[in-house]
Amino acid sequence: MDLHGIEQVLPANLLDRNLSSWRAGDAWLGGGTWLFSTEQPALRRLHDLMAIPIGSPIAEEDSGLTIRSTCTIAELQQHTIAHNDWRAASLIGKCCDSFLAGFKIWNAATVGGNICMSLPAGPMIALCVALDGTYTLRSCGGEVRKVAALDFTIGDHDSILAPGELLQIIELPAAGLRRRVTMRRFSLVKDGRSSVLVIGSHDTDTGAFALTVTAATSRPVQLHFDKLPEKQQLRYSLASKIDPRLWFDDPNGTPDHRRHLTTFFAEDVIKVLS
Amino acid sequence: MAFFTLNGKEHHEQPKAGQCLRTFLRQLGCYGVKKGCDSGDCGACTVLLNGEPIHSCITPAVRAHGKNVISIEGLTDGDELHPMQQQFLEARGFQCGFCTPGMILTACALSEDQKGDLNHAMKGNLCRCTGYRAIRDAIEGRAELSVESQPGECIGRDVLPPTAHSVVTGQEDFTMDAAMDGMLHLKVVRSEHAHARICAINTQAALAVPGVVTVLTWEDAPTRRFTSAIHDSHLVDPDDTLVLDQVARFVGQRLVAVVAETVAAAEKGCQVIEIDYELLPMVLEPEEAMAEGAPPLHRDQPDSFIINPGRNILVDIDLAGGDIAAIRQQADVLIERTYSTHRQQAMHLETLGSIGWIDEKGCLNIRTSSQSPFIAKQKLEFIFNLNPCNVRVFCKRIGGGFGAKQEVLTEDLVALACLKTGRPVSWEFTRQENFIGASVRHPATIKVRLGAQKDGTLLLIEVDSTLNTGAYGNHGGEALYAGSVALGHYRAPVKHFSGRSVYTNTIPSGALRGYGLPQTLFAVESCMDELALELGVKPNALRRQNMVGANDRIVTISDEPSDVVMGSYGLDQCLDFVEAALARKADQQGPSGQEWAVGEGLAIGYHDTVPPTEHRSTATVLLHDDGTYCLFTGTAEFGEGTSTVHLQFAAEALATTPDRIKLRQSDTKICGWDTGAFASTGIVVACQATMHAAKALRERILIHAAQHLGVEVEECTLDSGGVSSSCGGKLSLIQLAELARHKGIKLAEKRKGYGSPVSVAFNAHGFRVAVNRITGEIIILQSVHAADAGRVINPAQFRGQIEGAVAQAIGYAMTEDLMIDRAGKVRNPDVRNYRIPSFADCPETEVFFADTVDSVGPYGAKGGGESPFNPVAPALANAVQNATGVRFRHLPLTPPRIYEALVSTFAR
Ligand SMILES: Cc1cc2nc3c(=O)[nH]c(=O)nc-3n(C[C@H](O)[C@H](O)[C@H](O)COP(=O)(O)OP(=O)(O)OC[C@H]3O[C@@H](n4cnc5c(N)ncnc54)[C@H](O)[C@@H]3O)c2cc1C
Ligand code: FES
Ligand code: FES
């Protein structure tokens, strides 16, 4: 929709060192698929991250996958992974497919935009958390920090980003990509917005297992186990380690149903990975 | 340097900084770029950006810089249709046509792979009218319905809608597809509180915003109360509404209008309006609202229509036929169950909106998205005390209505702004406004009591219905009465219908497909299955045993004299069709896994072909000098397809082809009275008028020709070329018109259509479902619908109406729920969170037509754009019960609800 409050759209370079001109009422413009989908009365200027082309959005090295935050969902989905021992790479396509949004929006929406939106049902968040990703953030003063994907999103529509801070780069380490993974998702309508998205990842070298829960909770939750847990242990962990207030309540699901499905899917995931 | 290339042409205009591509393209004249949601959810605004399909409403216009944009207008260079457009034409892949440009452009861009999974590929394109089957056929190039017609052979044929070509090319003119010189834009400030009195409104800051022309508050508005509901008689609804009120009775009620040179200025003006509220106690549920001491919503200015303003009761009815106490004694089995239903939004893809201006003669013109321009006009005359000669209301094509445009919600405020400023004024609802400031289906709580003998003979049907009419009483009375129809299709010596419509501080309920009947039918048809279980008999056998037969009278409550007649009877056929279809796939399996339970269920119902309130229409048909005809009808076209039927009727009577008849419609300046396109009366009333007028014109032409040929009228026949006599004489239509001109006569006739007597239409719907007892998911394995609508005038269109109604009803039964929080605020006022069915949610429905010819309706037709909706929800609940053994009495059947009820019954 028209954002009548916007007075200026400024080109911005994702890889620039600093951006001192940042001020209140400014926002980064990724694909714009969320920004333009709702009224933004507080915004006055957009810094367009897509205005300046900066080369390939994805780099694949032996150490892992490096994704620029401006990489579109379509680009990520179309990238063919060369490392055939990266078993978890199958998650990439599945997570891209876990939007309510359809393919036309994938052409515009960015991975970084999805992460920074910090919606519980953000499938790029699920992907990055499940694969132990890290984010490179750069403040408008130029300071750079790296954070774990798990720590970035702190609530519904809430992240640790400071005003003007930019998500530049997403790194998915090879160790994460080599794990065996399984994903389960539920939405109240077919192919709709996730009500629950659960990913299990199993490190076959160490035996460690991690369960990543998103969409069902207002922020991502990860449970770690030394080995694939028994049903009882799993249930106990889910009940004791997830703060009951985290089960998300919105029109796309109820807390109770989400908690129930999370348990059910988690058990299923373990069965598949066993 | 040009900014971008649009449809092959360079443009130098620059968009505004925060403008989206959608409005920029419309500004450049591409009105085929539609707005369904303005948030990226519906796909109506799809265009190709450098060949890639995108949603232009969420694409910053600046991003089109240096690029190539193709909109529907530029899909082909000439008159030739793109193959996809041709496919949409042939498959009748549209009804209102509002989603069509976006559908076509998206479909054009699909790869073969994507075409293999349309559910997935098309999930970003929503259609509210079709139920998607016809669109699927169009994309897959599967349908080849004829696009030609033969003279005088129109009834029962798939005649192409007259606007088909302009719909698929994006040329069709919808309500908001216009801009006028000097046009102002209106935006409103809506109440943030469910119940509050306004102490003061500070408009200073708003008036200071550059571009703001005027600000309107309750102090500027007329003091005449009216009802926003549209009915032929304004006396069937309470006059409880003001154009702008000093009291806010629901969150979302419009309070202040800002009128400005641009939408941006109006919006900015709204942001700086300050309202000082005195909060009043509020009630959200009928039970609380009727309790002693509850805050009355309409006590200050009670219309005597409101039966008990102190207790918030708008109407209260109690109608009984027979001795209830005695029959209860006689019943071997007596069951009582309570059901409840929720709020549904019509979600017509085109939001509400209108454009008004005062012409040089001082006449107020309103171009609006309404199902009844004539009654909208009457209301404006009443509210503003205007002379009828000084008001004109008209409709262009309307992007869906479903009953929700049987309401005056924009015209009055636009009129006020026009009268105040003297300038043209446009007001287009945002999608969010359409969710919080329009109307919804009445939520209801319904108690049903059924009594029967051991042998299954039904003795008693009692229904008690409480409707939540919301903050205003529009449709609150009539929708309540309409609910009594659910008692009519079974025989029982004693029937009792009671109910009440109650004011609460929530969004007003209003008209919506089915009109008060889906709620009570859900309850009665669910309860019939419950009774069968209690009696230990098959539900369908119980239905057959008690349903009305061909020789019965329809008695909803007691056998009072009535103008409802059984003009034809097809209920038995409907039930046969559905049962047989379900039986054919009886061994159909659900997904594998013990948690999946499979079951089937059905429901039946009937619908009066005309509402109990008056319904009238006028048609005029005339012969032009060039030998073509012109037909005038007041009815608006919003996808229901009556325009096609008008032409079919006229062409049939005049022995010509529809393309020889020009249709002019829905304009109070040029057409005769028409009550409106609602209550499924399009064919039986409005087209009836056309049939009479066209037949009269044929007689007139024959008499005129006979005189000139010097023969008896009986010897003359009319065909598409003219009149020929059995003696060999011949006069072409052009000659006949010329002769008439010389004689100073007009070959034109006008006739009226009335909605009495009323006939009855029947429907049955069946489902086979698989229910996941762990997740609560329902998969529809089979969906079957049978309709008895008398003679089917246009099978392709009627099938489309049924499929669309079924899809909308599946949404009602399973996914749609306009939720209200404890403060009375809508929780999900956007398409993203108010889930209407998409491609993937709509199963293909097998559709059957009963073979009947009605003795009342024109050409034997009964119509029925609404009634297919009604049996869907109870059929679903019955199927889920059959699968799981658990009865769901509260709509919608969402996975969380199902899981909650089933989790204890299924241990993994
Ligand atoms: C129909 C539809 C369905 C959708 N379904 C889903 C869904 O299922 N799940 C879901 O999570 N989302 C969904 N969305 C929301 C949104 O489109 C996606 O989250 C998308 O990935 C956002 O990316 P974007 O590039 O378009 O973000 P933008 O709209 O450009 O930006 C989103 C937010 O992130 C900020 N931002 C963007 N990039 C950066 C950056 N590099 N650094 C810092 N801040 C940044 C912006 O300032 C803004 O606040 C949907 C949207 C639509 C229209
Ligand atoms: S109007 Fe753009 S997607 Fe609905
Ligand atoms: S035809 Fe699709 S919305 Fe009306």
Side-chain angles (χ1 to χ4, degrees), chain B residues 22 34-45 55-58 124:
Chain B
R22 178 185 74 76
K34 297 289 181 240
K35 179 206 79 181
C37 63
D38 224 7
S39 62
D41 293 86
C42 76
C45 64
H55 295 218
S56 62
C57 69
I58 52 167

Side-chain angles (χ1 to χ4, degrees), chain B residues 89 102 185 224 291 426 444 461 471 567 578 667 705 735 805 884:
Chain B
L89 207 71
H185 298 269
R224 265 197 184 173
S426 163
I461 308 178
V578 172
D667 187 339
Q735 288 170 315
T884 63

Side-chain angles (χ1 to χ4, degrees), chain B residues 353-376:
Chain B
S354 49
I355 299 173
W357 70 95
I358 295 167
D359 65 24
E360 57 290 347
K361 292 198 186 113
C363 176
L364 172 68
N365 288 257
I366 303 277
R367 167 182 172 131
T368 185
S369 183
S370 173
Q371 288 174 238
S372 176
F374 286 83
I375 296 176

